[in-house]
């Protein structure tokens, strides 16, 4: 059995096998001269992530490869690399090297071996308690507070982008800065991207976004983690976006019977439609639920939440797989399938 909350202060060796480096994108150098690219670790809508090794010292790493055709696509990945290079926090993925070669951008980074957070917590031997949830959420808030202090907003916080360092410890790392932006409080910024289920009302309503937009997503992740239920999900993205725009949710479901009122208050401070009234990352870290974490008793095992969370993870995976099949079928209609050529090594 894995009782993550026995050690409420995050454990695990957070040290990457390398020091923080000043990473600049190298042009016209073939990354394959320095690195061996091995099997695929994961795939998103933009990039494919592979396991890899540095030839010189056999150091294990992960590399995200994104093919680009248009300048806009290239700029997006360059932004991700440059933002990552400016972030040094124990709960944020560390970049190692970057290349622009043959119409592909390569972002080499530390290898994370513990898998996605939600996959980990639904494992049979994982004991899910409210305290374990708070331990994970506190690390997410800490990393996000650091990002926001550097005027960077992630804009795609969702369960897939929270990885566990190991299968035994309780340390997490935030990945995928593909949508991240530098934020200027004096300039208005709207976006039309993200994952509907975790997007804030200001995103779906195309209103001004800001650090508060990430805080909404943390609220949704936390709601799902505590209950196994998704507060705004609908039958399709349109329905989900409509639900998000109304920002109506409820704690009137059986899994919430086991959840403390202080945890519900934490959620209620985040899932606030009016962005200016939403809790900031700084204040989240001062919220009683996260402050009392060390003295909080582990509490009951959230078995109903875990059952629902299992179902949620499986359904989400099916939905993602179905979407990518539709996507690939559409692409196959074009005889010259640029995306597939660029994404597969
Ligand atoms: P999305 O469609 O969510 O925007 P993406 O194309 O930007 O995705 P990532 O989310 O960065 O791609 O990575 C895709 C998957 O690869 C992740 O869900 C994860 O499973 C795996 N992955 C990413 N980075 C690492 C890493 N450093 N170590 C291990 N696995 C990783």
């Amino acid at each position: 059995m894995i009782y993550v909350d026995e050690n409420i202060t995050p454990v695990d060796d957070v040290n990457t096998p390398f020091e923080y480096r000043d990473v600049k994108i190298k042009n016209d150098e073939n990354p394959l001269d320095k690195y061996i690219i091995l099997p695929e670790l994961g795939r998103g809508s933009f990039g494919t992530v592979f396991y890899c090794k540095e030839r010189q010292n056999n150091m294990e790493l992960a590399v995200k490869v994104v093919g680009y055709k248009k300048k806009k696509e290239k700029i997006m990945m360059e932004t991700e690399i440059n933002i990552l290079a400016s972030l040094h926090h124990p709960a944020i993925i560390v970049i190692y090297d970057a290349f622009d070669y043959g119409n592909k951008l390569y972002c080499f980074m530390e290898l994370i071996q513990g898998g996605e957070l939600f996959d980990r917590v639904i494992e049979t031997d994982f004991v899910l308690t409210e305290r374990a949830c708070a331990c994970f959420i506190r690390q997410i808030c800490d990393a996000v507070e650091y990002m926001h202090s550097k005027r960077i907003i992630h804009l795609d916080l969702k369960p897939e982008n929270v990885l566990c360092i190991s299968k035994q410890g309780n340390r997490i790392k935030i990945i995928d800065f593909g949508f991240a932006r530098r934020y200027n409080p004096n300039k208005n910024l709207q976006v039309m991207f993200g994952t509907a289920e975790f997007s804030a009302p200001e995103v779906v309503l195309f209103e001004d976004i800001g650090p508060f937009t990430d805080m909404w997503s943390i609220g949704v992740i936390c709601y799902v983690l505590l209950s196994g239920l998704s507060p705004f999900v609908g039958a399709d993205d349109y329905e989900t976006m409509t639900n998000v725009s109304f920002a109506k949710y409820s704690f009137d479901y059986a899994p919430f019977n086991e959840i403390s009122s202080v945890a519900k208050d934490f959620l209620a401070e985040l899932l606030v439609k009016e962005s200016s009234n939403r809790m900031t990352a700084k204040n989240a870290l001062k919220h009683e639920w996260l402050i009392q974490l060390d003295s909080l008793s582990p509490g009951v095992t959230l078995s109903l939440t875990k059952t629902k969370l299992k179902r949620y993870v499986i359904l989400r995976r099916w939905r993602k797989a179905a979407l990518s099949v539709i996507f690939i079928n559409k692409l196959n209609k074009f005889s010259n399938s640029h995306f597939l050529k660029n994404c597969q090594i």
Side-chain angles (χ1 to χ4, degrees):
M1 284 291 167
I2 299 171
Y3 290 88
V4 153
D5 52 355
E6 274 175 1
N7 288 300
I8 215 61
T9 305
V11 289
D12 270 335
D13 185 6
V14 279
N15 295 323
T16 45
F18 52 87
E19 299 281 312
Y20 286 119
R21 293 148 51 109
D22 182 20
V23 175
K24 299 249 160 26
I25 302 172
K26 298 184 178 88
N27 288 294
D28 299 323
E29 265 185 59
N30 187 349
L32 300 184
D33 291 341
K34 277 191 162 176
Y35 300 93
I36 309 169
I37 298 189
L38 295 154
E40 183 179 316
L41 289 170
R43 188 178 279 253
S45 28
F46 298 98
T48 309
V49 178
F50 299 88
Y51 170 61
C52 68
K53 281 187 177 175
E54 188 170 18
R55 289 185 190 273
Q56 194 192 8
N57 51 17
N58 245 2
M59 184 168 64
E60 294 177 299
L61 294 161
V63 60
K64 180 165 168 176
V65 185
V66 177
Y68 62 84
K69 195 175 179 185
K70 298 184 191 134
K71 192 142 190 235
K72 216 171 132 191
E73 293 163 347
K74 183 180 169 190
I75 291 173
M76 260 190 93
M77 186 61 190
E78 282 174 344
T79 309
E80 174 170 4
I81 291 171
N82 292 331
I83 284 182
L84 259 188
S86 69
L87 296 172
H88 298 166
H89 186 277
I92 295 177
I93 189 83
V94 185
I95 188 168
Y96 184 69
D97 210 351
F99 294 81
D100 181 355
Y101 187 77
N103 279 357
K104 287 178 195 156
L105 275 153
Y106 296 77
C107 174
F108 290 86
M109 55 196 155
E110 67 178 306
L111 173 70
I112 307 293
Q113 316 233 40
E116 290 174 17
L117 172 65
F118 278 17
D119 283 336
R120 167 103 199 284
V121 300
I122 59 171
E123 278 167 13
T124 316
D125 58 354
F126 186 92
V127 183
L128 184 66
T129 62
E130 192 178 306
R131 196 163 77 155
C133 297
C135 175
F136 293 126
I137 296 295
R138 184 160 76 174
Q139 292 175 72
I140 297 174
C141 288
D142 200 45
V144 170
E145 197 267 326
Y146 165 78
M147 255 181 250
H148 291 175
S149 74
K150 301 203 84 180
R151 297 223 168 135
I152 288 168
I153 40 180
H154 186 283
L155 297 179
D156 198 20
L157 291 171
K158 58 183 177 183
E160 294 92 311
N161 289 339
V162 182
L163 300 186
C164 293
I165 292 190
S166 73
K167 295 261 179 218
Q168 292 76 35
N170 55 4
R171 283 271 188 189
I172 55 99
K173 291 249 180 188
I174 296 178
I175 61 158
D176 192 1
F177 285 70
F179 287 149
R181 290 282 178 280
R182 291 188 192 280
Y183 171 70
N184 179 347
N186 301 318
K187 278 193 183 160
N188 294 351
L189 180 65
Q190 296 94 18
V191 293
M192 264 179 96
F193 52 64
T195 308
E197 202 181 332
F198 297 91
S199 291
E202 59 271 18
V203 174
V204 304
L205 295 167
F206 204 54
E207 291 169 355
D208 289 346
I209 56 144
F212 40 79
T213 307
D214 284 339
M215 298 316 292
W216 174 278
S217 308
I218 296 178
V220 182
I221 295 172
C222 186
Y223 185 110
V224 182
L225 190 58
L226 286 169
S227 66
L229 305 168
S230 189
F232 306 107
V233 76
D236 53 34
D237 275 357
Y238 180 75
E239 200 180 303
T240 303
M241 283 157 75
T242 309
N243 294 343
V244 170
S245 69
F246 289 121
K248 289 240 175 337
Y249 65 92
S250 160
F251 295 133
D252 289 339
Y253 301 106
F256 281 106
N257 295 341
E258 310 276 30
I259 302 301
S260 69
S261 54
V262 65
K264 288 179 196 160
D265 182 76
F266 181 81
L267 287 172
E269 298 269 353
L270 290 173
L271 299 176
V272 175
K273 183 172 178 180
E274 180 53 55
S275 57
S276 57
N277 294 335
R278 209 172 291 153
M279 185 159 62
T280 61
K282 211 175 195 161
N283 287 340
L285 290 168
K286 289 186 203 147
H287 189 280
E288 216 186 327
W289 190 50
L290 297 189
I291 280 195
Q292 285 187 350
L293 188 55
D294 299 291
S295 57
L296 208 71
S297 73
V300 286
T301 305
L302 306 176
S303 38
L304 182 56
T305 293
K306 195 160 164 174
T307 308
K308 295 207 175 286
L309 208 47
K310 268 186 197 159
R311 206 169 146 250
Y312 172 83
V313 169
I314 292 164
L315 282 176
R316 204 166 147 70
R317 193 142 292 150
W318 271 102
R319 200 191 296 180
K320 239 184 143 180
L323 278 176
S324 59
V325 167
I326 293 167
F327 185 50
I328 286 169
N329 281 343
K330 275 189 184 164
L331 280 167
N332 283 342
K333 286 194 181 148
F334 300 99
S335 53
N336 186 10
S337 177
H338 173 82
F339 174 86
L340 292 177
K341 271 190 189 158
N342 278 324
C343 281
Q344 288 169 355
I345 287 190

